[in-house]
PDB file of all heavy atoms in Angstrom:
ATOM      1  N   TYR M 405       6.566  14.619 -12.539  1.00  0.00           N
ATOM      2  CA  TYR M 405       6.127  15.146 -11.298  1.00  0.00           C
ATOM      3  C   TYR M 405       6.948  14.706 -10.094  1.00  0.00           C
ATOM      4  O   TYR M 405       7.641  13.628 -10.195  1.00  0.00           O
ATOM      5  CB  TYR M 405       4.545  14.737 -11.161  1.00  0.00           C
ATOM      6  CG  TYR M 405       4.277  13.285 -11.349  1.00  0.00           C
ATOM      7  CD1 TYR M 405       4.622  12.272 -10.371  1.00  0.00           C
ATOM      8  CD2 TYR M 405       3.574  12.841 -12.518  1.00  0.00           C
ATOM      9  CE1 TYR M 405       4.368  10.974 -10.534  1.00  0.00           C
ATOM     10  CE2 TYR M 405       3.409  11.526 -12.655  1.00  0.00           C
ATOM     11  CZ  TYR M 405       3.687  10.526 -11.693  1.00  0.00           C
ATOM     12  OH  TYR M 405       3.511   9.189 -11.801  1.00  0.00           O
ATOM     13  N   ARG M 406       6.548  15.272  -9.044  1.00  0.00           N
ATOM     14  CA  ARG M 406       7.224  14.892  -7.798  1.00  0.00           C
ATOM     15  C   ARG M 406       6.553  13.733  -7.086  1.00  0.00           C
ATOM     16  O   ARG M 406       5.463  13.595  -7.037  1.00  0.00           O
ATOM     17  CB  ARG M 406       7.241  16.240  -6.815  1.00  0.00           C
ATOM     18  CG  ARG M 406       7.762  15.879  -5.363  1.00  0.00           C
ATOM     19  CD  ARG M 406       7.760  17.193  -4.572  1.00  0.00           C
ATOM     20  NE  ARG M 406       7.857  16.960  -3.147  1.00  0.00           N
ATOM     21  CZ  ARG M 406       8.013  17.908  -2.252  1.00  0.00           C
ATOM     22  NH1 ARG M 406       8.032  19.148  -2.645  1.00  0.00           N
ATOM     23  NH2 ARG M 406       8.160  17.504  -0.962  1.00  0.00           N
ATOM     24  N   GLY M 407       7.359  12.817  -6.551  1.00  0.00           N
ATOM     25  CA  GLY M 407       6.888  11.681  -5.782  1.00  0.00           C
ATOM     26  C   GLY M 407       6.671  10.437  -6.655  1.00  0.00           C
ATOM     27  O   GLY M 407       6.741  10.448  -7.942  1.00  0.00           O
ATOM     28  N   ILE M 408       6.591   9.336  -5.926  1.00  0.00           N
ATOM     29  CA  ILE M 408       6.406   8.066  -6.603  1.00  0.00           C
ATOM     30  C   ILE M 408       5.235   7.259  -5.901  1.00  0.00           C
ATOM     31  O   ILE M 408       4.831   7.599  -4.689  1.00  0.00           O
ATOM     32  CB  ILE M 408       7.576   7.140  -6.538  1.00  0.00           C
ATOM     33  CG1 ILE M 408       8.154   6.955  -5.039  1.00  0.00           C
ATOM     34  CG2 ILE M 408       8.668   7.816  -7.331  1.00  0.00           C
ATOM     35  CD1 ILE M 408       9.347   6.002  -4.947  1.00  0.00           C
ATOM     36  N   ARG M 409       4.741   6.254  -6.577  1.00  0.00           N
ATOM     37  CA  ARG M 409       3.699   5.375  -5.941  1.00  0.00           C
ATOM     38  C   ARG M 409       4.033   3.865  -6.130  1.00  0.00           C
ATOM     39  O   ARG M 409       3.347   3.135  -6.894  1.00  0.00           O
ATOM     40  CB  ARG M 409       2.325   5.795  -6.529  1.00  0.00           C
ATOM     41  CG  ARG M 409       2.172   5.674  -8.131  1.00  0.00           C
ATOM     42  CD  ARG M 409       0.697   5.910  -8.508  1.00  0.00           C
ATOM     43  NE  ARG M 409       0.520   5.840  -9.932  1.00  0.00           N
ATOM     44  CZ  ARG M 409       0.202   4.797 -10.600  1.00  0.00           C
ATOM     45  NH1 ARG M 409       0.041   3.685 -10.042  1.00  0.00           N
ATOM     46  NH2 ARG M 409       0.048   4.885 -11.946  1.00  0.00           N
ATOM     47  N   PRO M 410       5.041   3.420  -5.475  1.00  0.00           N
ATOM     48  CA  PRO M 410       5.471   2.007  -5.633  1.00  0.00           C
ATOM     49  C   PRO M 410       4.422   0.992  -5.190  1.00  0.00           C
ATOM     50  O   PRO M 410       3.737   1.308  -4.159  1.00  0.00           O
ATOM     51  CB  PRO M 410       6.788   1.921  -4.856  1.00  0.00           C
ATOM     52  CG  PRO M 410       6.578   2.972  -3.779  1.00  0.00           C
ATOM     53  CD  PRO M 410       6.008   4.003  -4.465  1.00  0.00           C
ATOM     54  N   ALA M 411       4.272  -0.145  -5.839  1.00  0.00           N
ATOM     55  CA  ALA M 411       3.327  -1.135  -5.518  1.00  0.00           C
ATOM     56  C   ALA M 411       3.985  -2.324  -4.893  1.00  0.00           C
ATOM     57  O   ALA M 411       4.962  -2.792  -5.363  1.00  0.00           O
ATOM     58  CB  ALA M 411       2.599  -1.517  -6.773  1.00  0.00           C
ATOM     59  N   PHE M 412       3.453  -2.910  -3.898  1.00  0.00           N
ATOM     60  CA  PHE M 412       3.922  -4.134  -3.362  1.00  0.00           C
ATOM     61  C   PHE M 412       3.914  -5.288  -4.317  1.00  0.00           C
ATOM     62  O   PHE M 412       2.829  -5.494  -4.941  1.00  0.00           O
ATOM     63  CB  PHE M 412       3.184  -4.589  -1.994  1.00  0.00           C
ATOM     64  CG  PHE M 412       3.588  -3.707  -0.882  1.00  0.00           C
ATOM     65  CD1 PHE M 412       2.615  -2.925  -0.311  1.00  0.00           C
ATOM     66  CD2 PHE M 412       4.886  -3.682  -0.327  1.00  0.00           C
ATOM     67  CE1 PHE M 412       2.889  -1.991   0.753  1.00  0.00           C
ATOM     68  CE2 PHE M 412       5.127  -2.839   0.782  1.00  0.00           C
ATOM     69  CZ  PHE M 412       4.098  -2.037   1.311  1.00  0.00           C
ATOM     70  N   GLY M 413       4.942  -6.022  -4.507  1.00  0.00           N
ATOM     71  CA  GLY M 413       5.145  -7.101  -5.518  1.00  0.00           C
ATOM     72  C   GLY M 413       5.943  -6.649  -6.733  1.00  0.00           C
ATOM     73  O   GLY M 413       6.174  -7.565  -7.560  1.00  0.00           O
ATOM     74  N   TYR M 414       6.315  -5.374  -6.746  1.00  0.00           N
ATOM     75  CA  TYR M 414       7.017  -4.837  -7.883  1.00  0.00           C
ATOM     76  C   TYR M 414       8.472  -4.384  -7.510  1.00  0.00           C
ATOM     77  O   TYR M 414       8.771  -4.587  -6.312  1.00  0.00           O
ATOM     78  CB  TYR M 414       6.273  -3.747  -8.473  1.00  0.00           C
ATOM     79  CG  TYR M 414       4.964  -4.270  -9.181  1.00  0.00           C
ATOM     80  CD1 TYR M 414       3.951  -4.599  -8.519  1.00  0.00           C
ATOM     81  CD2 TYR M 414       5.104  -4.704 -10.617  1.00  0.00           C
ATOM     82  CE1 TYR M 414       2.790  -5.190  -9.061  1.00  0.00           C
ATOM     83  CE2 TYR M 414       4.031  -5.204 -11.229  1.00  0.00           C
ATOM     84  CZ  TYR M 414       2.872  -5.432 -10.487  1.00  0.00           C
ATOM     85  OH  TYR M 414       1.812  -6.113 -11.191  1.00  0.00           O
ATOM     86  N   PRO M 415       9.339  -3.954  -8.256  1.00  0.00           N
ATOM     87  CA  PRO M 415      10.856  -3.980  -8.122  1.00  0.00           C
ATOM     88  C   PRO M 415      11.278  -3.440  -6.742  1.00  0.00           C
ATOM     89  O   PRO M 415      12.170  -3.980  -6.167  1.00  0.00           O
ATOM     90  CB  PRO M 415      11.367  -3.322  -9.301  1.00  0.00           C
ATOM     91  CG  PRO M 415      10.349  -3.555 -10.428  1.00  0.00           C
ATOM     92  CD  PRO M 415       9.042  -3.601  -9.704  1.00  0.00           C
ATOM     93  N   ALA M 416      10.719  -2.324  -6.351  1.00  0.00           N
ATOM     94  CA  ALA M 416      11.341  -1.647  -5.060  1.00  0.00           C
ATOM     95  C   ALA M 416      10.915  -2.326  -3.815  1.00  0.00           C
ATOM     96  O   ALA M 416      11.536  -2.236  -2.801  1.00  0.00           O
ATOM     97  CB  ALA M 416      11.064  -0.201  -5.088  1.00  0.00           C
ATOM     98  N   CYS M 417       9.726  -2.995  -3.832  1.00  0.00           N
ATOM     99  CA  CYS M 417       9.175  -3.724  -2.661  1.00  0.00           C
ATOM    100  C   CYS M 417       8.576  -4.976  -3.264  1.00  0.00           C
ATOM    101  O   CYS M 417       7.344  -5.202  -3.303  1.00  0.00           O
ATOM    102  CB  CYS M 417       8.180  -2.775  -1.843  1.00  0.00           C
ATOM    103  SG  CYS M 417       7.078  -1.802  -2.942  1.00  0.00           S
ATOM    104  N   PRO M 418       9.401  -6.066  -3.401  1.00  0.00           N
ATOM    105  CA  PRO M 418       8.841  -7.210  -4.148  1.00  0.00           C
ATOM    106  C   PRO M 418       7.970  -8.202  -3.352  1.00  0.00           C
ATOM    107  O   PRO M 418       7.454  -9.249  -3.959  1.00  0.00           O
ATOM    108  CB  PRO M 418      10.158  -7.904  -4.707  1.00  0.00           C
ATOM    109  CG  PRO M 418      11.140  -7.459  -3.601  1.00  0.00           C
ATOM    110  CD  PRO M 418      10.801  -6.036  -3.249  1.00  0.00           C
TER     111      PRO M 418
END
Side-chain angles (χ1 to χ4, degrees):
Y405 49 74
R406 172 176 165 177
I408 57 174
R409 53 174 180 92
F412 287 113
Y414 289 85
C417 42

